[in-house]
Amino acid sequence: MKNIILAVLFCGIFQMASAQSFVPTIKNNTQLHYVCKLHGQTRALTLTSKITAEALVFNLDTRDVNSNIVTKSEALKNGNALSYNQGEYAPVLNLKTNETFFMISQSAYQDLVKNNRFIYNNTTYILDQNTDKNTVAIEGKQVDALHVIAQIDETEMWIIKNPEFPLICKITKNPLGINWTLVKIVDK
């Protein structure tokens, strides 16, 4: 009887631990696999990270397009604009000093955590307090994310709770017709 009680207790603790959300991180050579909806088309897209003191470089690979998108460290800290470039214009694309790629800046993330809002691309995003909509899963694992809604249109974003690299793991209802969902993370 004692063994049965211990087994049930162990299973309960295991279930609680496995049900908790996780916070993905980005390291050198982390591969982020997204499914992107671009103007009615569906594409698989892989971003492979390279982190230096000066920048975060994502090697973008999708449908015969391969380029390096460079987000400068200044933009990672204080950026206020999201680049929707699809890597088609140059083998290396250096973003502007205020632009980030597939993430918001650390200062925007701090504004979101502290004030339940942030401004990006001249649009105010408000934290959605409805916890039913705050869930995102990657390979069956719940991701600890913040759900925000734009105040001038219906754009919704889910931002991973990672103050160092606040990645956008999902975006929907984007009026530009560019939406994406993070489906897999591989650390190499």
Side-chain angles (χ1 to χ4, degrees):
M1 185 65 157
K2 183 177 172 183
N3 288 341
I4 293 173
I5 292 172
L6 286 175
V8 169
L9 183 62
F10 176 75
C11 287
I13 291 171
F14 177 77
Q15 183 67 25
M16 286 186 337
S18 64
Q20 291 183 0
S21 299
F22 82 104
V23 177
T25 58
I26 297 176
K27 304 175 201 124
N28 274 322
N29 296 315
T30 297
Q31 289 183 339
L32 305 169
H33 297 267
Y34 284 89
V35 172
C36 297
K37 305 282 185 178
L38 305 168
H39 312 290
Q41 299 177 8
T42 301
R43 292 186 184 181
L45 178 139
T46 302
L47 300 174
T48 304
S49 63
K50 179 181 177 193
I51 302 168
T52 68
E54 298 83 35
L56 169 64
V57 180
F58 279 130
N59 174 268
L60 179 145
D61 185 11
T62 184
R63 269 199 198 166
D64 299 327
V65 175
N66 191 306
S67 64
N68 290 309
I69 312 293
V70 181
T71 303
K72 295 172 179 56
S73 61
E74 180 180 332
L76 287 173
K77 290 177 186 164
N78 298 308
N80 62 7
L82 188 63
S83 171
Y84 287 96
N85 188 288
Q86 299 168 31
E88 299 170 346
Y89 304 114
V92 175
L93 176 66
N94 289 296
L95 298 179
K96 296 176 186 172
T97 56
N98 70 323
E99 289 182 321
T100 56
F101 190 68
F102 276 76
M103 67 176 52
I104 63 172
S105 67
Q106 295 162 352
S107 64
Y109 180 83
Q110 292 306 319
D111 285 346
L112 176 58
V113 170
K114 183 178 178 184
N115 304 314
N116 295 328
R117 66 179 59 226
F118 69 97
I119 298 173
Y120 233 65
N121 295 85
N122 296 316
T123 300
T124 300
Y125 291 88
I126 304 292
L127 181 66
D128 180 16
Q129 303 291 342
N130 181 353
T131 55
D132 292 342
K133 285 187 155 186
N134 293 347
T135 58
V136 175
I138 299 173
E139 295 187 297
K141 297 178 190 172
Q142 291 289 86
V143 176
D144 206 2
L146 299 167
H147 177 234
V148 298
I149 301 171
Q151 294 304 288
I152 62 170
D153 57 37
E154 296 180 356
T155 304
E156 296 183 57
M157 286 193 263
W158 287 259
I159 301 163
I160 293 174
K161 289 184 180 178
N162 181 337
E164 189 175 358
F165 296 109
L167 226 109
I168 301 168
C169 58
K170 184 175 180 181
I171 187 168
T172 62
K173 301 178 187 173
N174 183 344
L176 298 175
I178 304 170
N179 297 296
W180 63 75
T181 302
L182 182 61
V183 295
K184 184 177 180 181
I185 299 172
V186 178
D187 287 319
K188 296 258 178 174

